[in-house]
Amino acid sequence: MTRPSFAAVRPTRREVLKAAGSVTTVALTIGFEWLGPSRRAAAVVASPAVFAPNAFLRIGADGSVTVIAKHVEMGQGAYTGIATVLAEELDADWAHVRVESAPANVKLYANSAFGMQGTGGSSAMANSWSQLREAGAKGRAMLLTAAAKDWKVPVTELTTEKGVVYHAGSKRQAGYGSLAGKAAALPVPDKVTLKDPKDFKLIGHQAPRVDVPSKVDGTAQFTLDVALPGMLVALLKRPPLFGATVKSFDPTAASAVPGVVKVVQVPHGVAVVAKSFWAAKQGRDALSVEWDDSHAEKRSSSEMMDEYRHLAEQPAASARKVGDAAPAIKNAAHTVSASYEFPYLAHAPMEPLDAVVKLTGSSCEIWAGDQFQTVDQGNAAKTAGLDPQQVSIHTLYAGGSFGRRANVGSDYIVEAVSIAKAYGADGTPIKLQWTREDDIHGGLYRPMYFHKLEAGLNEKRELVGWRHVIVGQSIMAGGPFEVMVKNGIDPTSVEGAATIAYEIPNIDVELSTTKSGVPVLWWRVVGSSHTTFAVEAFIDEVAHAAGKDPFAFRRDLLEHEPRMKAVLELAADKAGWSSGPLPKGKGRGIAVGEAFKTYVAQVAEVTVDDAGRVTVDRVVCAVDCGIPINPDVIAAQMEGGIGFGLGAVMFGAITLKNGRVEQDNFNNYRVLRINEMPKVEVHIVPSAEAPTGVGEPGVAPIGPAVANAIFAATGTRVHMLPFPKSSKS
């Protein structure tokens, strides 16, 4: 795939500033300030001659269209989706579109779902949809007005296509670049008419991803690629137990390693700063630290799970109550019960955490695959003793995250700034790198959970009662998101359970929140990563007890949920659900879920050999995410979510022994390997609804779909994750 030569040009900030004073440099900049719930876009004043990223759109004299992305690109296709939405309304030539990351500026680039600048919760497309359509439409309107004034014709006689304005009557035409200077002198219109979806030329089509060329040719810049003059590399020795602190350390052996420059203590541990990664690693290996573990978490995960099982039998906080489930179940003609256990999980992104910091007494410059710009800017400023305005963040490509880079403590950013400060804050660039072992040992895991469920069926085998008890840690309590915890309920602990879509006359969902020294964080698809498994595995058990087909049983309970019912029916149809049983040793399972207002159903086909090893052969996925912006990106995210979720349910577990994490690297914290990836078919439901996210929802149904397929093949239910046996483990 080739790109126009201008698309590969990345001017330095110095060149941008120099260009700002040149009368020969012409650009059109459209800026917007997000003003909260009203979603009103206000123009940001910009000089007609200024060539500088500002808000969302920049058009160069060469016809290049630069879209400024407020969301990080970490493999989920955010850059492509954002550019597609804006370019659609602009009528841009896709071949001339490029994307740049926005600076940390909450006033201009807030995520309307969060009230701050940040990426997560599959919100990039949903919160940008109207905003970027308006940005593109206003840019197009100004270009049309500029052409109409220049040609002295009514605007209504003009049309646009692929970055060119046309006048049919005079057969005149002008590229956007030639009109940029004139358009920049015009006022930004207050209102514009957006396209009718039937006229979309980019949205709904498979435009090539904007990040692929640079990732293929190696010019894409991740934090690991950053190499600044005089830069040093730091590795941090962290305590082996969560909650332990440095009691003392001896830097002698570490300092004697060739290439080691300095050994410094910081709040999170002791850092070795060196001229290279290898020198820093050797120095850290040689470093002697005595830890104070008097306040550390020393329990094993098996002890914690024993406590969870006990708590599941105790009174808990009510997350949802409909009717009266207890007597409905007690008096039911048939009852079903089951429990499910979920371990801690690491995020394990392909690029471990890293950040480059250049700190002086008056400024802090950060390079990172930054996911929480506003939070990270504030925490970096506090650590450095600066004002947030003195902290600038260059958001680079991130090699995955799955939630890990978005944490309220900004751990890896704060560590990097702390090290730069302890080093002397003399402007020396310092790159903090986490190793894979640091990542696996480093905490902020998906919490461990225990689920207990009971259901009652009447004489007609109809589901009349449902009770669901959840036990686990809160990721919201005790921090800035504490306000979201109401009456003892962390909404992320119960989403997918308290929001169960099935129509049941009596429902009781309860939560018992535990405390532990193990630090936890949201993980891809957050609460639905465990609640959807519990709900969908158990509803399958209930369907079996009722003597009904699992698909038909679900469908009958979703009459009032047309979108969820539609994906369920589509997945079943495309998978050939009614085509009859599979051969011996093979099974087919189904599951459906909703996350971030996106509906996903999946049918999994598995083979279980005589030794009990499971191979997932095929997955059919149906998704309703509103208007599909780019079908190829949607399919890729469903496929990626399925692979990510499969790795977790088949292999994933962080276990503790006497407080120490037992896993180290991918050798014993297994992820799915390429030869274990099943054949995946993705079917997208046509929709006129506003777009919702696709980065996370595909993860939720795959575990229960496979577990239900294992039952179909073997007659054995899965109640503990990861699966006890799997192929090629």
Side-chain angles (χ1 to χ4, degrees):
M1 182 185 300
T2 58
R3 303 283 282 177
S5 59
F6 61 76
V9 176
R10 264 186 96 86
T12 65
R13 290 180 179 274
R14 185 176 297 277
E15 290 169 338
V16 167
L17 292 172
K18 286 169 61 179
S22 171
V23 295
T24 60
T25 302
V26 181
L28 168 64
T29 302
I30 307 295
F32 294 91
E33 178 180 352
W34 209 240
L35 301 177
S38 65
R39 292 197 167 189
R40 180 173 174 268
V44 174
V45 178
S47 169
V50 171
F51 182 85
N54 188 356
F56 305 107
L57 172 63
R58 186 173 75 244
I59 299 177
D62 59 358
S64 61
V65 174
T66 302
V67 178
I68 313 302
K70 65 182 182 180
H71 294 285
V72 64
E73 175 58 72
M74 44 194 170
Q76 82 279 36
Y79 275 10
T80 300
I82 286 167
T84 300
V85 174
L86 192 150
E88 178 67 72
E89 293 290 348
L90 182 65
D91 261 353
D93 184 345
W94 188 250
H96 291 186
V97 174
R98 61 186 294 243
V99 180
E100 287 183 1
S101 178
N105 186 327
V106 67
K107 185 177 181 181
L108 292 177
Y109 299 112
N111 182 322
S112 60
F114 298 167
M116 66 180 194
Q117 188 176 352
T119 305
S122 293
S123 63
M125 296 304 102
N127 93 97
S128 299
W129 173 247
S130 298
Q131 188 180 39
L132 294 181
R133 289 187 71 191
E134 187 175 335
K138 288 190 174 185
R140 176 177 174 273
M142 294 172 74
L143 291 162
L144 285 168
T145 301
K149 286 180 176 292
D150 193 34
W151 299 339
K152 297 179 174 54
V153 297
V155 171
T156 54
E157 293 182 5
L158 302 178
T159 58
T160 57
E161 185 175 0
K162 288 190 174 181
V164 179
V165 178
Y166 295 93
H167 181 242
S170 63
K171 296 186 178 180
R172 296 186 71 173
Q173 65 182 60
Y176 284 0
S178 67
L179 295 167
K182 297 182 179 68
L186 299 173
V188 179
D190 289 331
K191 294 183 179 180
V192 286
T193 301
L194 302 180
K195 281 187 179 181
D196 188 309
K198 66 179 176 57
D199 297 323
F200 286 162
K201 299 171 184 175
L202 291 173
I203 293 172
H205 301 278
Q206 297 186 183
R209 283 183 62 144
V210 296
D211 55 330
V212 166
S214 63
K215 289 179 177 177
V216 170
D217 66 24
T219 58
Q221 192 173 53
F222 296 80
T223 310
L224 282 174
D225 300 317
V226 175
L228 301 177
M231 187 179 76
L232 301 175
V233 177
L235 266 70
L236 183 62
K237 195 176 189 77
R238 300 172 184 83
L241 296 177
F242 299 115
T245 57
V246 176
K247 186 174 183 180
S248 65
F249 72 97
D250 182 355
T252 305
S255 298
V257 173
V260 170
V261 177
K262 201 169 187 177
V263 179
V264 296
Q265 182 176 348
V266 293
H268 292 86
V270 182
V272 176
V273 184
K275 294 180 180 179
S276 68
F277 169 84
W278 187 241
K281 185 181 184 303
Q282 287 183 307
R284 188 176 69 170
D285 290 345
L287 182 64
S288 175
V289 181
E290 184 179 359
W291 304 99
D292 178 358
D293 61 6
S294 56
H295 299 289
E297 175 62 76
K298 298 177 183 177
R299 291 177 296 172
S300 298
S301 46
S302 58
E303 295 176 76
M304 296 181 193
M305 188 58 77
D306 287 342
E307 177 191 347
Y308 286 17
R309 296 188 193 100
H310 173 73
L311 287 171
E313 304 299 327
Q314 310 305 311
S318 177
R320 183 182 180 189
K321 189 171 181 62
V322 177
D324 200 344
I329 296 171
K330 182 179 180 180
N331 299 323
H334 308 276
T335 59
V336 188
S337 63
S339 60
Y340 302 90
E341 298 181 11
F342 302 88
Y344 287 110
L345 292 175
H347 300 77
M350 188 56 64
E351 180 189 16
L353 299 174
D354 45 13
V356 177
V357 170
K358 186 176 182 180
L359 179 66
T360 70
S362 59
S363 68
C364 180
E365 201 168 1
I366 298 170
W367 291 260
D370 201 291
Q371 194 174 345
F372 257 21
Q373 287 88 347
T374 302
V375 172
D376 294 345
Q377 187 179 41
N379 285 331
K382 183 177 180 181
T383 303
L386 301 173
D387 293 329
Q389 295 77 12
Q390 294 174 289
V391 177
S392 61
I393 297 177
H394 307 276
T395 300
L396 309 177
Y397 285 122
S401 174
F402 317 119
R404 182 61 181 87
R405 299 177 196 274
N407 66 85
V408 295
S410 309
D411 60 345
Y412 71 108
I413 298 292
V414 166
E415 287 178 353
V417 175
S418 297
I419 294 167
K421 184 178 180 180
Y423 184 81
D426 60 358
T428 300
I430 294 178
K431 178 190 287 186
L432 169 68
Q433 291 187 217
W434 287 46
T435 65
R436 177 65 58 199
E437 289 78 11
D438 292 339
D439 174 63
I440 299 299
H441 294 161
L444 299 186
Y445 307 111
R446 197 285 305 275
M448 183 172 71
Y449 280 96
F450 180 80
H451 291 245
K452 178 185 176 184
L453 294 99
E454 301 172 280
L457 298 163
N458 64 16
E459 293 83 355
K460 298 179 181 179
R461 302 281 174 151
E462 297 168 332
L463 181 55
V464 294
W466 178 278
R467 183 169 182 263
H468 189 168
V469 180
I470 302 169
V471 183
Q473 279 175 263
S474 168
I475 61 176
M476 294 295 188
F481 295 112
E482 176 77 43
V483 294
M484 295 182 64
V485 179
K486 305 291 186 183
N487 301 316
I489 300 297
D490 178 341
T492 66
S493 295
V494 298
E495 61 186 356
T499 55
I500 184 171
Y502 297 118
E503 191 168 20
I504 306 167
N506 300 284
I507 300 175
D508 190 2
V509 180
E510 300 173 11
L511 173 68
S512 182
T513 299
T514 62
K515 292 188 180 297
S516 168
V518 180
V520 294
L521 183 68
W522 35 69
W523 185 89
R524 195 173 184 181
V525 88
V526 200
S528 294
S529 66
H530 54 96
T531 58
T532 298
F533 188 104
V535 168
E536 287 299 297
F538 189 60
I539 201 74
D540 223 70
E541 296 199 37
V542 175
H544 181 73
K548 296 182 180 179
D549 174 77
F551 158 66
F553 190 70
R554 287 173 170 85
R555 181 190 58 197
D556 293 345
L557 295 172
L558 290 173
E559 288 297 332
H560 64 304
E561 291 283 351
R563 294 180 72 180
M564 187 172 281
K565 180 183 176 185
V567 294
L568 180 74
E569 291 176 332
L570 180 59
D573 176 61
K574 297 297 184 180
W577 184 267
S578 59
S579 61
L582 295 174
K584 183 181 178 181
K586 294 181 178 292
R588 186 184 288 124
I590 193 167
V592 63
E594 176 273 327
F596 307 112
K597 299 182 180 179
T598 290
Y599 303 87
V600 181
Q602 292 167 0
V603 175
E605 294 179 2
V606 306
T607 298
V608 184
D609 67 15
D610 292 339
R613 291 186 295 257
V614 176
T615 302
V616 182
D617 303 314
R618 178 189 182 211
V619 177
V620 177
C621 174
V623 55
D624 177 354
C625 56
I627 293 173
I629 294 174
N630 188 310
D632 185 57
V633 171
I634 294 168
Q637 283 303 291
M638 291 300 110
E639 293 163 357
I642 287 166
F644 185 88
L646 273 177
V649 299
M650 295 178 74
F651 311 113
I654 292 292
T655 57
L656 283 74
K657 184 176 182 180
N658 299 324
R660 290 176 180 258
V661 174
E662 296 185 284
Q663 290 70 35
D664 299 296
N665 206 312
F666 287 141
N667 63 313
N668 51 14
Y669 186 81
R670 281 273 274 110
V671 295
L672 198 74
R673 295 170 182 163
I674 194 167
N675 62 318
E676 296 162 339
M677 185 70 185
K679 176 184 177 182
V680 178
E681 304 168 26
V682 177
H683 302 276
I684 302 170
V685 176
S687 176
E689 299 288 337
T692 50
V694 295
E696 302 182 64
V699 176
I702 186 61
V706 172
N708 296 335
I710 292 172
F711 171 76
T714 66
T716 300
R717 293 287 181 184
V718 176
H719 291 121
M720 182 184 297
L721 294 182
F723 297 157
K725 291 184 178 181
S726 57
S727 64
K728 306 176 184 67
S729 58

